[in-house]
Amino acid sequence: MAVSRRLLLGGAGAALLGGLGYRAWDRGVFQTAQGPAFEPWQDWKGNAGEGAGRSLHAAILAANPHDTQPWLFEAHGASIAVMADRGRNLGAFDPFRREMHLGVGCAIENLMRAASVYGYTINAVVNGGRLAPTPPDKPVAAAHLWLDAGEAMRDPLFEAIPHRHTNRGPYLERPIAAADLQKLAGLIDSAEVRVVFLSDPKARAEMASLIVEATQHIIDDPEMSQASARWIRTGRRDVEQHRDGIVIDNAGLPMWMAEGAKLLPDIDAHTADGQWLKMTRDVQTCVPVLGMILVRDRLEMATAIAAGRAWQRLHLAATTMGLAAQPLNQPVEMVDRNQQRGRNDSFGASLQRLAKLNAWEATFAFRLGYGERPALPSPRRPLSDVLIERG
Ligand SMILES: Cc1cc2nc3c(=O)[nH]c(=O)nc-3n(C[C@H](O)[C@H](O)[C@H](O)COP(=O)(O)O)c2cc1C
């Protein structure tokens, strides 16, 4: 009796382990940043036979909101048209598609850096126009680039393209040298864009509490919460099918917690929001440097693209210095949401007061520091998915 019971239990245990093993495989528990969804990070240089279009392999590795990859390209000879793919939007989370256009700007920055390394001189025309709330979902022309044969340049920021990843984990208390911050500030040379770093404890604490307060507002807004949840990818199948969105491996959790989160059934949006708030308050805003990118008019399309280019450049440069970075754009997301809903807003004025720059408004907030752990790559769709063939 005892033997057969032990056998039965042993069988049940094996079945349970087998089941867990299957689920672990199915959910990609021990598979981090591997498989076809991550191949664009390896093939990022393409090959010389591709002509001007070769630079697009680098373009698609750019930062972009929630990894929506909201871009399309049409490459023909020396000409590259860049479009904002407005169907791939964050809904109420980005009602004016302002962040989407920052993301397109990030891709343009990578594209231009790659093109000059591959020996092209570039003429770029960036399209202007007002960003209006909930525009139609159809693609919109964002910029046109003409690439002519020129002299190949060397560029350490280009080399950083496959190493730049958003790091949502804890950062060390180690401060960033003022000279390094100055070097970063010096990269933003455009008259349209400014960057401000907040490293003194009082300003940082104020900025941190604005970010936490904005996060609370976002999770209290069901439309915003759902719009964000639509782009969260949990299991392996989800990642392989979509090749976009925020994946658990990039949420900034310690490895054991990320593995547990993949193994367990998906948590509901409310629980996920609570964890996001806690991470924001207890981890992500406790850093040596918070910062923001400011522009004259955050709802002007060309300006949003310029701000995106600035962020991509900053993040690439930070990567070359061994610094980790993460956008924390909740306060500006609330400025947009309040404007869309016709509500009073205090976030915009608070950001402007902290930046001490009259007549400039924040369009992007972020943190910088030395990461405790390296960040992993996020998925990317293949280049062929975002290329428009000429009809
Ligand atoms: C305009 C913009 C806003 C973003 N806002 C946030 C944010 O508030 N919080 C965050 O963790 N990441 C934010 N990100 C980072 C993206 O989620 C990230 O770039 C994307 O998931 C791709 O991952 P990667 O940067 O590691 O390649 C933002 C990126 C951009 C371009």
Side-chain angles (χ1 to χ4, degrees):
M1 178 74 177
V3 172
S4 63
R5 195 153 158 217
R6 208 177 304 138
L7 269 180
L8 197 68
L9 282 176
L16 179 69
L17 275 182
L20 270 180
Y22 173 76
R23 182 159 170 85
W25 170 79
D26 188 45
R27 300 281 293 172
V29 171
F30 305 114
Q31 180 183 329
T32 46
Q34 289 166 36
F38 301 92
E39 277 165 13
W41 293 96
Q42 260 83 54
D43 307 337
W44 72 283
K45 282 189 179 169
N47 61 69
E50 291 175 87
R54 180 183 184 189
S55 315
L56 296 175
H57 291 278
I60 62 168
L61 299 186
N64 67 93
H66 273 56
D67 204 16
T68 49
Q69 304 166 43
W71 43 58
L72 287 169
F73 305 95
E74 187 178 327
H76 189 72
S79 127
I80 299 180
V82 184
M83 271 144 288
D85 189 356
R86 290 204 173 158
R88 298 182 65 83
N89 64 64
L90 279 170
F93 208 91
D94 183 22
F96 293 86
R97 315 301 184 239
R98 180 187 53 79
E99 291 201 339
M100 169 183 284
H101 287 81
L102 267 98
V104 171
C106 294
I108 292 173
E109 178 70 13
N110 271 13
L111 201 174
M112 290 176 71
R113 293 212 162 263
S116 39
V117 167
Y118 297 148
Y120 293 101
T121 53
I122 307 151
N123 279 309
V125 172
V126 175
N127 294 341
R130 259 217 96 64
L131 296 172
T134 41
D137 276 353
K138 62 179 199 316
V140 163
H144 206 122
L145 282 70
W146 288 269
L147 276 57
D148 290 315
E151 208 174 304
M153 312 284 271
R154 280 174 54 84
D155 177 10
L157 299 198
F158 164 77
E159 297 298 340
I161 286 173
H163 308 295
R164 181 214 58 84
H165 306 300
T166 298
N167 192 327
R168 299 189 177 86
Y171 296 179
L172 303 170
E173 275 174 34
R174 180 178 158 195
I176 302 175
D180 285 342
L181 290 179
Q182 241 160 31
K183 237 186 264 171
L184 289 173
L187 287 167
I188 310 302
D189 53 6
S190 127
E192 305 171 87
V193 184
R194 293 273 169 94
V195 63
V196 166
F197 297 113
L198 304 172
S199 38
D200 87 271
K202 186 165 172 287
R204 248 188 310 150
E206 280 179 44
M207 182 73 175
S209 71
L210 271 185
I211 294 169
V212 173
E213 189 190 335
T215 311
Q216 180 72 62
H217 279 271
I218 292 172
I219 68 181
D220 288 344
D221 180 330
E223 271 185 67
M224 288 182 91
S225 165
Q226 278 159 23
S228 166
R230 230 166 41 89
W231 291 93
I232 308 290
R233 310 281 177 236
T234 51
R236 179 183 59 85
R237 282 168 204 253
D238 221 15
V239 174
E240 281 177 7
Q241 184 190 343
H242 296 284
R243 298 178 64 153
D244 61 17
I246 306 288
V247 303
I248 288 178
D249 288 326
N250 292 330
L253 302 170
M255 202 206 282
W256 64 269
M257 225 189 251
E259 286 170 356
K262 285 194 264 182
L263 199 55
L264 293 169
D266 287 348
I267 50 175
D268 58 275
H270 178 71
T271 315
D273 281 345
Q275 289 178 355
W276 178 38
L277 179 66
K278 192 168 156 33
M279 276 289 278
T280 306
R281 190 189 53 221
D282 301 344
V283 176
Q284 297 175 341
T285 49
C286 310
V287 281
V289 174
L290 292 167
M292 52 188 129
I293 291 176
L294 299 106
V295 290
R296 297 277 186 188
D297 177 357
R298 75 183 200 294
L299 295 180
E300 209 284 313
M301 194 161 106
T303 303
I305 291 170
R309 289 194 59 195
W311 171 244
Q312 185 68 18
R313 203 175 315 139
L314 276 180
H315 198 176
L316 290 172
T319 304
T320 66
M321 295 172 174
L323 287 167
Q326 181 196 3
L328 288 168
N329 216 19
Q330 296 91 313
V332 193
E333 284 151 6
M334 279 313 301
V335 176
D336 286 348
R337 181 66 169 154
N338 286 335
Q339 181 165 338
Q340 181 208 13
R341 303 296 296 265
R343 294 188 300 227
N344 285 336
D345 173 75
S346 61
F347 287 105
S350 302
L351 291 169
Q352 193 185 51
R353 189 174 40 74
L354 275 171
K356 299 193 177 119
L357 280 178
N358 280 338
W360 290 80
E361 59 174 346
T363 191
F364 191 85
F366 60 88
R367 65 169 173 144
L368 281 182
Y370 292 92
E372 270 185 36
R373 301 185 292 269
L376 290 166
S378 51
R380 287 295 185 281
R381 294 176 296 154
L383 180 55
S384 53
D385 276 22
V386 296
L387 277 182
I388 302 178
E389 296 296 335
R390 275 209 161 173

